[in-house]
Amino acid sequence: MARYRTVPSFTHDRPTRLGVLLINLGTPDTPTTAAVRRYLAQFLSDPRVVEIPRVLWTPILHGVILNSRPAKSAQKYATIWTKDGSPLLVHSLRQKTLMQGYLGQRLKDLGLPSDFAQVAIGMRYGQPSIESAMAKLEMDGCDRILVLPLYPQYSASTTGSALDAINDFTRGQRRVPALRVVDAYHDDPGYINALVQSVNEHWVRNGRPDKLLFSFHGLPKRTLELGDPYHCHCQKTARLVATELGLKREQALVTFQSRFGRAHWLMPYTQPTLVALAKERVGRVDVVCPGFVSDCLETLEEIAQAGQAAFLKAGGREFHYIPCLNERPAWVAALADLAVRNLGGWLESPPDALARELTQGRAKALGARQ
């Protein structure tokens, strides 16, 4: 007989709410070799991330990679770590808090209690986990949950993997919540507008560059050939933003970063492109990373530090990194609007509140007759 997780102090008449689950990739707990090794072991063991047969990949992962890469990665994490911890986690938690406030106001505007929808944040790897976030929403009485990954462009290795984790959790639930998923919002007007606003504000302060690079996280080239829409989503995001910025085709480039291993990945690669531009005497390059909504190792160390160093060393004159959306009001508002649109018919009078109103109405009518 199956064993299911139970909700402490469960009662059948408890109020029900809606849940919004934000999901990001995750981060090590600390910038240490041991913590990074734990994180990489979980991350690189995911068959959605490394699509190599386990019998071939496991010996490489545990025999080579986890014995050499954690120490180097820990040094990189140390260069971007803040007094509050990992930038990705800090920004994600702030986004969750702000999202709760923005969403609460949207609910009030619709005549609903501001706490009718609860927001939680879960990381695919590391803490707080997706499992703990789902359990928290369950404890809060959320029987309908909107899954909203913080990945604007869909890929099997990000959004697909996050949904695997949710399915793993629900397999152990007696009461599986109703689920809706926002699989991508790479062309959402609010998201595009937030990016355009961010770039424009940077240019108002610092002037315009000779070239704007849109740098997205890379994936093996075979994922495109197998039908993953990620590459197409990245291209559309960049095209929409460039159009709104009034850029000519030669003023903007789409590149891909964070290669791993020897396979061919989506091209062109970001750092070699920066070096080539410097050698072509392109004076100033600005880089924006639309696929990341929170600054993290890949943006702060790989682009703002290593990318800048490579460009300047190759002869480039000026390099600007434009920060991620992070807690920008336009971005959090766009995220809240996206949630409201996808909550759809769920945003009606809460069943429990309606039942109480009917009960109170009958009681008042009975009292009047007596």
Side-chain angles (χ1 to χ4, degrees):
M1 184 176 179
R3 292 185 178 181
Y4 300 105
R5 302 181 188 91
T6 57
V7 180
S9 305
F10 173 82
T11 58
H12 283 281
D13 61 349
R14 68 174 182 165
T16 61
R17 294 187 175 91
L18 305 181
V20 177
L21 175 61
L22 304 177
I23 297 175
N24 212 331
L25 190 74
T27 175
D29 296 324
T30 60
T32 62
T33 300
V36 172
R37 181 179 290 111
R38 288 193 302 271
Y39 173 75
L40 289 178
Q42 184 185 11
F43 175 48
L44 296 176
S45 293
D46 187 343
R48 291 273 197 177
V49 173
V50 180
E51 298 183 34
I52 297 175
R54 299 298 94 181
V55 67
L56 299 177
W57 175 242
T58 300
I60 298 172
L61 175 61
H62 292 277
V64 179
I65 294 173
L66 292 180
N67 289 322
S68 59
R69 190 172 178 184
K72 297 176 183 177
S73 294
Q75 292 175 354
K76 294 180 179 180
Y77 274 107
T79 67
I80 59 115
W81 216 257
T82 74
K83 62 181 180 61
D84 296 318
S86 162
L88 182 141
L89 180 58
V90 169
H91 289 303
S92 296
L93 291 173
R94 290 174 181 168
Q95 288 167 350
K96 176 258 180 186
T97 300
L98 291 169
M99 174 73 165
Q100 184 72 65
Y102 272 73
L103 188 56
Q105 185 58 54
R106 298 287 196 282
L107 295 175
K108 288 176 67 177
D109 293 343
L110 293 170
L112 296 168
S114 61
D115 64 348
F116 182 43
Q118 296 295 305
V119 182
I121 181 75
M123 299 294 172
R124 180 61 183 92
Y125 316 104
Q127 299 299 324
S129 66
I130 289 176
E131 179 179 358
S132 68
M134 288 286 287
K136 175 65 167 57
L137 291 175
E138 183 182 48
M139 286 289 293
D140 288 339
C142 299
D143 61 353
R144 289 158 291 172
I145 296 174
L146 175 69
V147 181
L148 182 48
L150 296 174
Y151 311 127
Q153 298 78 24
Y154 176 94
S155 79
S157 59
T158 53
T159 303
S161 179
L163 296 181
D164 288 344
I166 291 172
N167 290 333
D168 288 343
F169 176 81
T170 59
R171 266 196 290 270
Q173 298 303 106
R174 179 171 296 280
R175 173 63 164 94
V176 176
L179 294 170
R180 289 180 181 172
V181 178
V182 180
D183 67 328
Y185 45 95
H186 59 290
D187 55 358
D188 175 74
Y191 161 67
I192 297 299
N193 177 66
L195 287 169
V196 171
Q197 185 184 104
S198 174
V199 175
N200 265 328
E201 289 180 6
H202 184 86
W203 288 353
V204 167
R205 294 191 302 270
N206 302 283
R208 295 171 73 93
D210 299 303
K211 294 277 188 180
L212 176 65
L213 254 64
F214 294 91
S215 182
F216 294 88
H217 196 288
L219 289 178
K221 184 180 178 182
R222 68 186 297 269
T223 61
L224 171 63
E225 298 164 350
L226 293 173
D228 199 306
Y230 178 75
H231 181 267
C232 301
H233 285 184
C234 294
Q235 296 288 344
K236 187 170 186 181
T237 295
R239 185 171 67 252
L240 290 172
V241 173
T243 299
E244 288 297 314
L245 290 171
L247 297 178
K248 298 177 182 178
R249 176 171 294 187
E250 65 272 14
Q251 293 177 303
L253 287 171
V254 175
T255 62
F256 297 89
Q257 62 184 89
S258 309
R259 283 182 292 160
F260 176 76
R262 297 180 179 178
H264 292 292
W265 283 47
L266 297 176
M267 296 182 71
Y269 303 140
T270 297
Q271 190 164 121
T273 299
L274 288 171
V275 171
L277 290 173
K279 291 181 177 179
E280 292 169 8
R281 298 294 186 264
V282 174
R284 173 178 159 182
V285 170
D286 286 8
V287 181
V288 64
C289 299
F292 302 92
V293 299
S294 300
D295 273 311
C296 56
L297 184 73
E298 285 80 1
T299 63
L300 298 174
E301 191 280 332
E302 187 175 355
I303 299 299
Q305 294 180 18
Q308 177 177 8
F311 179 71
L312 297 179
K313 183 178 180 180
R317 186 185 76 249
E318 190 175 350
F319 178 100
H320 289 230
Y321 166 64
I322 300 174
C324 290
L325 295 174
N326 295 325
E327 296 87 53
R328 293 183 61 86
W331 158 237
V332 180
L335 200 60
D337 287 340
L338 190 64
V340 169
R341 291 200 304 273
N342 283 274
L343 287 170
W346 286 352
L347 290 177
E348 297 173 353
S349 185
D352 307 282
L354 182 60
R356 285 195 296 273
E357 290 170 5
L358 292 173
T359 301
Q360 291 167 359
R362 284 195 296 269
K364 288 178 180 179
L366 180 60
R369 287 198 296 270
Q370 291 176 342

